[in-house]
Amino acid sequence: MASRFVERSAAFFPHLWTLISRPFLFLWTRLLRKGSFDSPRLPEARVIPRDQHTISRKDISRAALNVLYGLHKGGFEAYLVGGCLRDLLCGRQPKDFDVVTDATPDEVHRLFKRSRIIGRRFQIVHVRFGREIIEVSTFRAFQRDDMNDDQHLAHEETGLVLRDNAWGSIEEDALRRDFTVNALYYNIADFALYDFVQSRRDIERGVLRLIGDPEQRYREDPVRMLRAARFAAKLGFEPDRATAEPIPRLAELLLQVPPARLFDEVLKLFLSGHARASYQELRELGLFPFLFPETDLCLQGDQGETWEAMILAAMDNTDARLAEDKPVTPAFILAVLLWPVVTARLDKYRADGVPPAPALHKAASWALDQQIQHTAVPRRFSTVMREMWDLQQRLPRRGGKRADTLLQHPRFRAAYDFLLLREQAGEIRAGLGAWWTRYQQVDEQERYAMTQALGPNQGAGGDGGGGNNGGGRRRRRRRGGRSSSSNQG
């Protein structure tokens, strides 16, 4: 009877019930924590008052402030957390603002009309204000025996966390963060910073330090190793010895991570304005072979220096475009990263007597099939990559109306940039790129003169695709006469 009355009371007075029950639940969970031998000692916050830090509300987005004040007004704790505070202290403009609270996802959802709960492994709430989305998460608890309920927590034998929706306190939440530089909290109630793990000191010193036992944390979520590489590249911070040492020997744990999730991490690594530094960190920490294994094998081969020069040039090109607010596409950087694999396979098929166009098609399919086992490449990008690779065989054939036709191709510009990178790295001899550069700059009459000057073979030759000289399909005559063909190389 009593339990039924409680349920009915909660249904009729949800907000009142929350206010009444929350202090008792909080006290009860604190008592449980004190009795648990699995829980590490909780840290005390170093409170940095408003007059001792540089973070101001005028630097925080209006949407984030609305969420913070909405939670505070609803009787909940509300903090900004993580990368946004780190970036503000480093003099950078944050791309987004994350909020953390003691309210559960259901409570947050009830508080904000334009919100929705997402995620299974980690439940969070997205609150929408116009075109901006603020991510709100609940304080996370430790993985303790008393909370080992399949409804909240699931593990693999390797230590990988599969699902984790156990709620805790701000102290526990701070220890559950990955790196100290991401574990600062800004309290909307008093505008102070709450520092549990010497976050501010590490930010000022430029040190990247993992919270807790590094090996255990990497086993819980192997993607943390990629995050270590990304933050080191983005911030220019140096990982401390304890953080960096286990990564090379634990890198194979990335094989447990779904390829779709690794693809998202690859985009963050290479399309955030620090692609070259990210690539170098991945190579130094031994992570690159588990993201692009076939490419890594090519980098160890005879043409390794050439391929690395091309990859680094592509990274620099991507970083420069982002710095100038120019658009970039994942297809371009992925096409460059997989080009060594495509050309190696293409040479094998050509040696077996397969004509250039079918050989390239088979090589591209093989390279993509191998890659998606590690980092899933969506079809919308792989299709563009195939077109860019195909155009490398077609760009040398410029005679007649071919040049004008190629110029109108929707992937011409990307393929042209790709060609310039190949020449810059020394994979193919220079000259073709300069021809196409001039062709785009002159008028129609001069273009006609350029194509006429190519000679009798009409520009069918040239080293255009992975060591092949263009090549084209044979056209049969109706009556068994001699077939005419372009230069096969």
Side-chain angles (χ1 to χ4, degrees):
M1 281 291 286
S3 62
R4 190 175 300 173
F5 173 75
V6 169
E7 290 175 2
R8 289 178 178 176
S9 299
F12 280 108
F13 307 104
H15 189 62
L16 180 61
W17 179 251
T18 297
L19 294 176
I20 294 173
S21 63
R22 182 167 285 279
F24 294 101
L25 290 173
F26 179 77
L27 180 60
W28 176 249
T29 54
R30 283 302 178 100
L31 289 172
L32 283 175
R33 285 175 199 135
K34 286 186 177 180
S36 172
F37 294 101
D38 294 330
S39 300
R41 184 176 179 180
L42 296 179
E44 292 185 7
R46 178 195 170 202
V47 180
I48 306 170
R50 175 63 188 89
D51 59 356
Q52 294 180 24
H53 67 78
T54 58
I55 294 176
S56 170
R57 278 173 291 173
K58 70 174 185 290
D59 299 322
I60 302 170
S61 79
R62 174 53 54 186
L65 289 174
N66 286 340
V67 172
L68 290 168
Y69 282 124
L71 288 166
H72 183 63
K73 192 178 295 184
F76 302 107
E77 296 179 53
Y79 300 82
L80 279 181
V81 67
C84 58
L85 301 178
R86 177 201 68 216
D87 289 346
L88 287 172
L89 290 176
C90 290
R92 301 167 179 261
Q93 180 59 41
K95 290 186 176 180
D96 47 44
F97 293 86
D98 294 334
V99 172
V100 68
T101 178
D102 60 343
T104 66
D106 287 330
E107 290 170 334
V108 176
H109 182 52
R110 285 198 295 266
L111 205 57
F112 298 98
K113 292 181 179 179
R114 302 195 65 185
S115 66
R116 65 190 184 103
I117 299 174
I118 67 167
R120 180 174 178 270
R121 183 171 178 268
F122 295 113
Q123 275 193 353
I124 59 176
V125 181
H126 278 178
V127 183
R128 181 180 292 276
F129 285 88
R131 303 179 73 177
E132 187 173 0
I133 294 176
I134 303 299
E135 187 173 288
V136 184
S137 59
T138 305
F139 295 143
R140 303 287 175 187
F142 287 118
Q143 302 146 16
R144 303 186 303 274
D145 290 341
D146 60 299
M147 299 192 75
N148 193 18
D149 183 344
D150 186 59
Q151 294 293 322
H152 299 287
L153 189 67
H155 263 75
E156 272 191 351
E157 292 181 1
T158 58
L160 179 68
V161 177
L162 301 177
R163 186 167 61 255
D164 182 5
N165 290 311
W167 320 128
S169 66
I170 188 172
E171 293 88 355
E172 287 181 294
D173 190 80
L175 293 185
R176 288 288 307 275
R177 300 278 157 181
D178 49 10
F179 300 97
T180 57
V181 297
N182 295 332
L184 267 181
Y185 296 77
Y186 174 86
N187 191 351
I188 196 62
D190 57 10
F191 315 126
L193 289 177
Y194 285 64
D195 188 347
F196 296 91
V197 288
Q198 298 183 320
S199 300
R200 189 180 188 184
R201 184 199 67 177
D202 287 350
I203 291 172
E204 291 173 347
R205 294 181 179 181
V207 174
L208 192 65
R209 182 165 57 91
L210 200 65
I211 299 171
D213 176 68
E215 181 160 341
Q216 179 184 344
R217 301 307 304 277
Y218 291 141
R219 288 188 180 279
E220 288 174 356
D221 186 0
V223 167
R224 287 190 177 118
M225 293 184 284
L226 297 181
R227 287 169 61 82
R230 176 159 60 89
F231 288 136
K234 174 183 177 179
L235 303 171
F237 285 11
E238 187 70 27
D240 74 340
R241 184 177 178 278
T243 298
E245 185 275 328
I247 293 179
R249 57 185 172 83
L250 297 179
E252 66 178 357
L253 293 175
L254 290 174
L255 298 176
Q256 303 172 9
V257 181
R261 188 177 177 212
L262 289 184
F263 176 76
D264 291 337
E265 292 299 321
V266 165
L267 296 190
K268 295 174 185 176
L269 284 160
F270 296 141
L271 295 178
S272 299
H274 44 82
R276 173 188 268 261
S278 294
Y279 170 78
Q280 291 171 331
E281 287 288 343
L282 291 175
R283 297 273 287 165
E284 185 176 337
L285 294 171
L287 296 168
F288 188 79
F290 297 95
L291 295 176
F292 296 92
E294 297 298 329
T295 303
D296 186 68
L297 289 175
C298 292
L299 289 170
Q300 298 175 39
D302 294 339
Q303 284 187 279
E305 290 185 9
T306 298
W307 296 134
E308 184 152 56
M310 183 176 174
I311 289 171
L312 289 174
M315 302 291 179
D316 290 341
N317 178 275
T318 300
D319 289 344
R321 290 184 66 86
L322 287 168
E324 298 170 4
D325 289 325
K326 293 181 178 179
V328 295
T329 173
F332 187 86
I333 200 76
L334 291 170
V336 173
L337 285 165
L338 294 186
W339 182 244
V341 185
V342 173
T343 55
R345 206 68 184 177
L346 174 61
D347 289 343
K348 179 180 182 302
Y349 290 137
R350 293 291 286 123
D352 292 341
V354 181
L360 180 59
H361 177 77
K362 290 182 64 176
S365 296
W366 188 89
L368 287 167
D369 287 345
Q370 296 299 309
Q371 187 57 37
I372 61 176
Q373 299 176 39
H374 298 272
T375 56
V377 182
R379 187 179 297 274
R380 66 183 183 277
F381 298 132
S382 63
T383 299
V384 176
M385 294 161 64
R386 285 176 176 274
E387 290 177 317
M388 290 171 58
W389 293 333
D390 176 65
L391 284 170
Q392 300 309 299
Q393 284 191 342
R394 296 175 60 188
L395 286 173
R397 305 197 294 273
R398 298 151 284 166
K401 296 183 178 180
R402 287 173 175 169
D404 280 336
T405 300
L406 288 172
L407 202 60
Q408 302 304 316
H409 194 286
R411 309 300 175 205
F412 169 79
R413 184 69 197 188
Y416 162 74
D417 290 340
F418 195 95
L419 175 69
L420 295 182
L421 287 180
R422 297 176 63 204
E423 290 188 347
Q424 180 182 338
E427 185 215 338
I428 57 175
R429 62 177 179 265
L432 184 59
W435 190 95
W436 277 110
T437 300
R438 176 170 170 74
Y439 191 80
Q440 295 174 73
Q441 296 170 346
V442 299
D443 59 24
E444 186 175 348
Q445 185 175 357
E446 183 64 22
R447 287 179 179 178
Y448 177 77
M450 289 178 67
T451 56
Q452 291 299 303
L454 291 172
N457 65 357
Q458 296 185 336
D463 195 358
N468 296 297
N469 293 329
R473 294 186 176 181
R474 297 178 180 273
R475 292 183 60 189
R476 289 186 180 177
R477 293 180 181 270
R478 292 191 177 186
R479 296 196 177 183
R482 286 176 20 187
S483 62
S484 62
S485 65
S486 58
N487 188 352
Q488 296 287 329

